[in-house]
């Protein structure tokens, strides 16, 4: 019996695969809990802790891979979604990826010549097969004529394929073009597109409106939209220091070759384990894509005619990148290598700072001083400043080696930012002042953690007076004992009272650790925050627990995660010594019991309505010494440790549990349960994490310190790998 699925149109098969891929994406509203996977659970697509809200990535990949093995139709439908997101994990996986996408490093020009010859032949056969519909006979002379017309079209003045790739290898003549660098050859996807367009033009001249099948390209580079090295490691391979320095896996040439074959790439993530490959060519390949692919000295407007030089390799790269999609998200967390710093500095000096400097000098210099700008083409004086309007999410956390003027110039080149992480960098108040004058930036998530070059006055003016901060929903101003906050009490009071993002009451994530927050600010100045879900108040030694409890009860009852690392004199961080026993008693007496347990009620009649706790607080982050004093916890509260130095005191009987609705028009809802019985799967999972004593993966934890940039989930998003370690594991 033939299955009816085999007769489905390709559009329907592609839609099915799209839903399979979407089943692995987290919902926009997060449950704030780690993902718990189980083979017998079906995700709910709701912000629930149990069952999970989305399928794990490995299940989605395996499902799409199995669909590719069904038949050719399913393979064509599932392959674009299987290659949509690529995460490089192991060194040999990276080498296989290079081989699959860029065909390796050897005999590149010969492979491309064979590709062109084979593709032209396939296109000719497909076109001749289509002509048979109109009764034309497929003869040898007709095939030869069509082949010659294709060659003539591709080798014309507007052709994008080198002449030597259109001629057989045995008949090629040496030419200056043959002497170009190997990495400057056209990308495979561009060759395929050029051949497809040529076939369409030739056939439509004889038969307008005729459908011509697109030549098949077995390489998956054009499908990739997300590439990151978050999970890439070389630790444990027993390689010497010399081998790690001389025989790198991720090199600049390999990375550039792969990026050339990804015209639709929109998100890229790098880490400190491969930042040595981020050279100047790779940086240009990432930034100068789409309409931004123009070089200095080329006129952007005016009467001069731009003549395409086919013998110029830089012109080739520029024309190829012009047809690529511009990046939307870039994460460079922890990139500090000398190669990366030099490449980024050269890029900014070449394309950003130099443009501004030349423009300013051209306007200010008099007639006698203008000849000093020798070597500059006349037409380049009319170039607009280089900006990147498509990039909306930028992560530069931990990029400590880049100088302030380079960071400032780079950050100001993105006029459409919504997510910005500049934590642990050398940014200066000048950058915040420049951001304040922008009318196009509308920040939703901002992280300025441990930026010790910023002044309290600059942060206060930025949050109060800048239009770009009015829409902030997630804000991190984290500081600790090593790099405390530069805000003063007056600055903090003005921010609470006047900052639009604080006054709106729509903040969902807020971290004010080490800021001079007082009882009077929380209870009298601060506006109610009904949307706040995660609050950081660590390293505030003089803030009383009673003030925190009253603020949560009266103004932020929906806070679920609270950090109190090195905070409050009752916990032993004030001027007076407090024993570990008294600190644990104060924590339970002033925070846990009044905020997390239902109020006591007494009634002679049976009541069906249960009283709810006054707040949703269920996880409290504490310092390791205080966690050690808590022992095994009390009742359902257990200690969950991260892979690094952070730890949380969590209520294992609480979680967002999905409940099905009986109504036909209701897909279900999630309820915050505070009374999960022993043996409940979610409670068992949290207790298993507590028993692991820190032997967990890097994605376990709450209240992330790193912003999730590549997908746009912000400071409430979840990550694993090295990004997850920065978000949940690292104490400092």
């Amino acid at each position: 019996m033939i299955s009816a699925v085999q007769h489905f149109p390709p559009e329907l098969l592609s839609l099915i695969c799209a839903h399979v891929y979407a089943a692995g994406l987290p919902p926009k509203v997060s449950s704030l809990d780690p993902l718990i996977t189980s083979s017998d659970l079906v995700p709910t697509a709701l912000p629930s802790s149990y069952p999970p809200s989305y399928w794990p990535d490995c299940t989605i990949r395996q499902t799409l891979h199995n669909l590719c093995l069904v038949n050719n139709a399913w393979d064509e439908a599932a392959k674009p979604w299987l290659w949509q997101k690529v995460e490089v994990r192991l060194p040999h996986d990276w080498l296989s990826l290079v081989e699959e996408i860029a065909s390796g490093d050897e005999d590149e020009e010969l492979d491309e010549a064979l590709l062109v010859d084979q593709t032209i032949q396939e296109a000719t056969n497909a076109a001749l097969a289509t002509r048979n519909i109109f009764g034309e006979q497929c003869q040898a002379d007709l095939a030869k004529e069509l082949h010659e017309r294709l060659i003539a079209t591709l080798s014309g003045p507007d052709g994008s394929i080198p002449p030597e790739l259109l001629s057989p290898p045995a008949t090629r003549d040496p030419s200056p073009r043959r002497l170009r660098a190997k990495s400057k050859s056209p990308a495979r996807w561009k060759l395929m597109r050029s051949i497809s367009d040529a076939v369409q033009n030739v056939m439509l001249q004889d038969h307008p409106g005729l459908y011509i099948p697109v030549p098949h390209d077995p390489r998956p580079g054009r499908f990739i939209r997300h590439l990151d090295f978050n999970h890439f490691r070389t630790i444990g391979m027993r390689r010497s220091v010399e081998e790690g320095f001389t025989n790198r896996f991720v090199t600049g040439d390999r990375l550039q070759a792969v990026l050339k074959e990804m015209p639709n790439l929109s998100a890229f993530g790098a880490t400190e384990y491969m930042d040595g490959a981020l050279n100047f060519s790779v940086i240009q390949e990432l930034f100068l894509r789409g309409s931004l692919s123009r070089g200095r000295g080329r006129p952007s407007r005016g009467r001069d005619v731009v003549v395409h030089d086919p013998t110029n390799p830089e012109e080739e790269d520029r024309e190829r990148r012009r047809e690529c999609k511009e990046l939307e998200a870039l994460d460079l967390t922890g990139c500090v290598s000398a190669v990366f710093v030099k490449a980024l500095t050269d890029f900014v000096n070449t394309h950003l700072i130099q443009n501004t400097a030349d423009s300013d000098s051209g306007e200010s210099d008099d007639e006698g001083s203008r000849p000093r700008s020798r070597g500059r083409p006349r037409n380049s004086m009319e170039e607009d400043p280089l900006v990147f309007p498509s990039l909306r999410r930028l992560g530069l956390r931990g990029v400590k080696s880049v100088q302030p003027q380079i960071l400032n110039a780079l950050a100001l080149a993105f006029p459409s930012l919504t997510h910005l992480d500049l934590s642990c960098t050398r940014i200066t108040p000048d950058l915040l002042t420049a951001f304040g004058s922008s009318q196009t930036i509308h920040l939703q998530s901002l992280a300025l953690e441990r930026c010790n070059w910023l002044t309290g006055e600059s942060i206060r003016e930025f949050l109060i007076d800048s239009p770009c901060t009015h829409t902030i929903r997630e804000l991190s101003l984290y500081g600790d004992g090593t790099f405390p906050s530069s805000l003063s009490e007056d600055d903090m009071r003005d921010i609470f009272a006047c900052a639009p993002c604080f006054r709106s009451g729509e903040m969902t994530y807020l971290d004010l650790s080490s800021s001079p927050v007082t009882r009077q600010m929380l209870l009298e100045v601060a506006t109610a925050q009904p949307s706040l879900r995660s609050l950081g108040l660590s390293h505030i030694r003089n803030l009383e627990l009673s003030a925190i409890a009253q603020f949560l009860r009266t103004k932020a009852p929906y806070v679920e995660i609270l950090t109190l690392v090195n905070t409050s004199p009752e916990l032993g961080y004030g001027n007076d010594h407090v024993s570990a026993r008294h600190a644990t008693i104060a924590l339970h007496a002033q925070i846990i019991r009044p905020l997390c347990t239902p109020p006591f009620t007494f009634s002679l009649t049976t009541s069906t309505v249960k009283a709810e706790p006054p707040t949703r607080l269920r996880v409290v982050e504490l310092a390791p010494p205080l966690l050690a004093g808590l022992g095994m916890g009390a009742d359902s509260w257990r200690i969950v440790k991260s892979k690094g130095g952070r730890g949380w005191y969590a209520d294992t009987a609480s979680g967002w549990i999905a409940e099905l609705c009986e109504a036909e028009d209701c897909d279900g809802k999630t309820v915050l349960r505070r009374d999960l019985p022993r043996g409940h799967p979610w409670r068992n999972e949290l207790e298993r994490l507590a028993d692991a004593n820190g032997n967990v993966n890097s994605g376990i934890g709450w209240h992330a310190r790193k912003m999730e940039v590549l997908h746009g989930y912000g400071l409430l998003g979840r990550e694993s790998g090295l990004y997850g370690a920065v978000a949940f594991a690292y104490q400092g």
Side-chain angles (χ1 to χ4, degrees):
M1 179 180 295
I2 301 178
S3 175
V5 179
Q6 298 183 6
H7 302 286
F8 285 174
E11 294 80 5
L12 183 56
L13 299 182
S14 179
L15 183 61
I16 295 174
C17 296
H19 280 278
V20 172
Y21 178 82
L25 299 178
K28 290 298 182 180
V29 179
S30 171
S31 67
L32 304 183
D33 292 315
L35 176 65
I36 303 299
T37 59
S38 178
S39 58
D40 58 345
L41 293 178
V42 178
T44 61
L46 300 171
S48 60
S49 305
Y50 180 88
S53 56
Y54 57 97
W55 290 99
D57 187 66
C58 58
T59 303
I60 297 299
R61 291 183 181 276
Q62 186 63 38
T63 303
L64 292 173
H65 174 71
N66 293 337
L67 290 177
C68 290
L69 301 178
V70 176
N71 53 35
N72 290 335
W74 276 107
D75 179 69
E76 292 294 328
K79 180 180 285 187
W81 298 102
L82 178 63
W83 286 92
Q84 183 98 352
K85 176 183 177 181
V86 175
E87 294 179 339
V88 181
R89 294 177 178 266
L90 298 176
H92 294 290
D93 292 345
W94 162 249
L95 297 181
S96 300
L97 181 67
V98 175
E99 180 68 25
E100 178 69 20
I101 294 178
S103 301
D105 298 328
E106 302 295 333
D107 299 330
E108 180 180 354
E109 189 173 344
L110 179 59
D111 292 342
E112 290 180 353
L114 296 177
L115 170 68
V116 172
D117 295 338
Q118 180 182 1
T119 305
I120 292 179
Q121 186 62 41
E122 293 178 355
T124 303
N125 296 337
L128 292 176
T130 306
R131 281 191 172 188
N132 291 336
I133 300 177
F134 295 89
E136 301 182 14
Q137 297 181 356
C138 182
Q139 301 176 354
D141 54 349
L142 187 59
K144 181 179 180 180
E145 177 187 356
L146 181 57
H147 188 274
E148 291 177 352
R149 294 176 63 185
L150 287 177
I151 295 296
T153 302
L154 293 171
S155 59
D158 298 331
S160 59
I161 300 181
E164 67 271 16
L165 296 183
L166 297 174
S167 59
T171 62
R172 295 180 185 171
D173 298 327
S175 63
R177 190 181 180 88
R178 294 289 308 276
L179 302 178
R180 69 186 189 278
K182 182 168 59 177
S183 62
K184 299 300 183 181
S185 53
R188 176 185 295 268
W189 62 270
K190 190 170 178 61
L191 295 175
M192 301 296 293
R193 180 182 298 179
S194 300
I195 296 174
S196 177
D197 293 342
V199 173
Q200 296 283 345
N201 294 334
V202 171
M203 293 300 298
L204 292 179
Q205 291 178 2
D206 299 335
H207 303 286
L210 180 66
Y211 170 75
I212 306 298
V214 178
H216 176 68
D217 182 8
R219 302 295 178 179
R222 65 191 185 279
F223 301 134
I224 299 176
R225 287 170 169 79
H226 176 111
L227 175 66
D228 72 69
F229 293 82
N230 178 26
H231 298 271
F232 181 77
R233 298 287 189 280
T234 55
I235 297 177
M237 298 189 64
R238 297 184 178 180
R239 284 160 45 99
S240 64
V241 177
E242 182 181 0
E243 289 177 333
F245 183 77
T246 58
N247 300 324
R248 297 181 181 272
F249 291 100
V250 185
T251 63
D253 292 339
R254 288 172 179 166
L255 183 56
Q256 184 183 9
V258 168
L259 292 176
K260 285 174 55 178
E261 300 296 336
M262 299 179 182
N264 297 314
L265 185 68
S266 59
F268 179 81
T271 65
E272 61 191 58
Y273 285 93
M274 47 73 61
D275 56 354
L278 300 178
N279 55 30
F280 183 75
S281 300
V282 173
I283 295 295
Q284 284 199 131
E285 193 69 39
L286 289 172
F287 284 110
L288 301 183
R289 300 167 69 91
S291 60
L292 302 173
S293 181
R294 58 180 178 86
R296 291 180 58 81
R298 292 191 58 189
S300 60
R301 59 180 183 266
R303 299 181 179 179
D304 291 343
V305 178
V306 179
V307 180
H308 174 67
D309 184 6
T311 63
N312 187 355
E314 295 183 1
E315 189 72 17
E316 282 187 18
D317 275 348
R318 201 154 31 233
E319 294 300 324
R320 172 185 53 79
R321 290 197 300 262
R322 187 185 298 275
E323 301 182 27
C324 295
K325 183 179 179 181
E326 299 175 17
L327 282 182
E328 298 178 4
L330 179 64
D331 198 338
L332 300 174
T333 296
C335 295
V336 293
S337 70
V339 175
F340 165 73
V341 173
K342 183 179 184 302
L344 188 63
T345 302
D346 293 343
F347 177 83
V348 172
N349 288 332
T350 302
H351 298 285
L352 301 178
I353 294 181
Q354 191 64 33
N355 275 345
T356 305
D358 289 347
S359 300
D360 294 342
S361 63
E363 294 177 0
S364 60
D365 291 349
D366 53 12
E367 295 295 334
S369 60
R370 286 182 180 175
R372 289 184 297 178
S373 59
R374 62 182 186 277
R376 180 181 178 182
R378 175 177 58 87
N379 294 329
S380 66
M381 299 178 65
E382 297 186 2
E383 285 187 352
D384 295 327
L386 183 61
V387 293
F388 308 94
S390 296
L391 199 143
R392 299 180 179 274
R393 303 185 297 275
L394 178 64
L396 296 175
R397 180 188 177 90
V399 184
K400 304 175 183 179
S401 302
V402 180
Q403 295 300 316
Q405 64 272 20
I406 302 299
L407 273 178
N408 293 358
L410 179 66
L412 292 175
F414 306 105
S416 305
L417 287 174
T418 58
H419 294 67
L420 180 61
D421 191 348
L422 296 173
S423 301
C424 306
T425 59
R426 298 183 180 183
I427 61 170
T428 61
D430 295 338
L431 177 60
L432 299 186
T433 302
F435 272 148
S437 60
S438 175
Q439 299 296 329
T440 59
I441 297 178
H442 301 285
L443 294 174
Q444 300 175 10
S445 183
L446 175 65
L448 299 176
E449 173 184 329
R450 293 164 58 122
C451 294
N452 56 320
W453 287 38
L454 293 178
T455 62
E457 182 182 1
S458 63
I459 298 176
R460 175 180 59 82
E461 293 179 354
F462 180 62
L463 294 177
I464 295 177
D465 300 330
S466 300
C468 63
T469 62
H470 293 182
T471 55
I472 288 180
R473 302 294 176 264
E474 302 168 358
L475 177 64
S476 176
L477 300 177
Y478 175 87
D480 54 19
T482 306
F483 296 100
S485 174
S486 58
L487 292 168
S488 64
E489 287 193 16
D490 293 337
D491 295 332
M492 199 70 249
R493 185 178 294 103
D494 292 342
I495 290 175
F496 271 123
C498 304
C501 56
F502 281 75
R503 301 291 298 175
S504 66
E506 298 180 1
M507 197 82 71
T508 59
Y509 176 105
L510 179 62
D511 198 324
L512 300 175
S513 298
S514 79
S515 300
V517 180
T518 63
R519 168 188 288 270
Q520 187 263 345
M521 295 180 193
L522 291 179
L523 303 182
E524 300 179 12
V525 182
T527 307
Q529 301 292 335
S531 301
L532 191 61
R533 303 183 64 191
S534 190
L535 175 62
L537 293 176
S538 299
H539 305 286
I540 309 177
R541 295 180 176 271
N542 298 322
L543 184 60
E544 302 88 349
L545 289 181
S546 59
I548 299 175
Q550 187 174 352
F551 172 76
L552 294 180
R553 186 186 301 108
T554 59
K555 296 187 177 182
Y558 295 133
V559 168
E560 302 176 41
I561 318 297
L562 176 66
T563 71
L564 294 177
V565 179
N566 297 339
T567 293
S568 181
E570 291 91 342
L571 299 182
Y573 302 108
N575 297 326
D576 299 331
H577 173 72
V578 177
S579 64
R581 178 184 178 185
H582 287 86
T584 57
I585 293 176
L587 176 67
H588 277 272
Q590 301 189 46
I591 297 294
I592 304 298
R593 188 171 60 190
L595 299 182
C596 307
T597 57
F600 175 77
T601 58
F602 177 78
S603 176
L604 296 177
T605 60
T606 303
S607 176
T608 58
V609 179
K610 293 183 178 181
E612 295 292 335
T615 70
R616 290 181 176 178
L617 183 65
R618 55 192 178 94
V619 177
V620 181
E621 182 179 0
L622 300 169
L626 185 55
L627 290 175
L630 290 168
M632 294 297 294
D635 196 14
S636 61
W637 287 79
R638 297 289 304 276
I639 298 172
V640 179
K641 294 183 179 180
S642 70
K643 198 176 184 66
R646 298 179 65 184
W648 300 266
Y649 198 39
D651 184 7
T652 59
S654 298
W656 288 97
I657 307 302
E659 296 182 353
L660 298 179
C661 295
E662 298 180 357
E664 296 182 357
D665 57 346
C666 180
D667 296 332
K669 62 179 181 179
T670 57
V671 178
L672 181 60
R673 293 279 302 274
R674 308 300 299 262
D675 56 350
L676 297 178
R678 294 185 182 274
H680 190 277
W682 175 248
R683 184 166 180 172
N684 291 340
E685 290 293 340
L686 289 182
E687 291 179 349
R688 181 183 62 83
L689 294 178
D691 295 336
N693 195 28
N695 188 19
V696 296
N697 65 58
S698 59
I700 299 299
W702 292 269
H703 193 78
R705 290 184 185 161
K706 178 195 174 297
M707 184 185 302
E708 199 289 312
V709 171
L710 298 182
H711 296 91
Y713 294 109
L715 289 166
L716 292 180
R718 304 207 65 86
E719 294 179 287
S720 57
L722 183 61
Y723 292 166
V726 177
F728 302 109
Y730 294 166
Q731 178 69 30

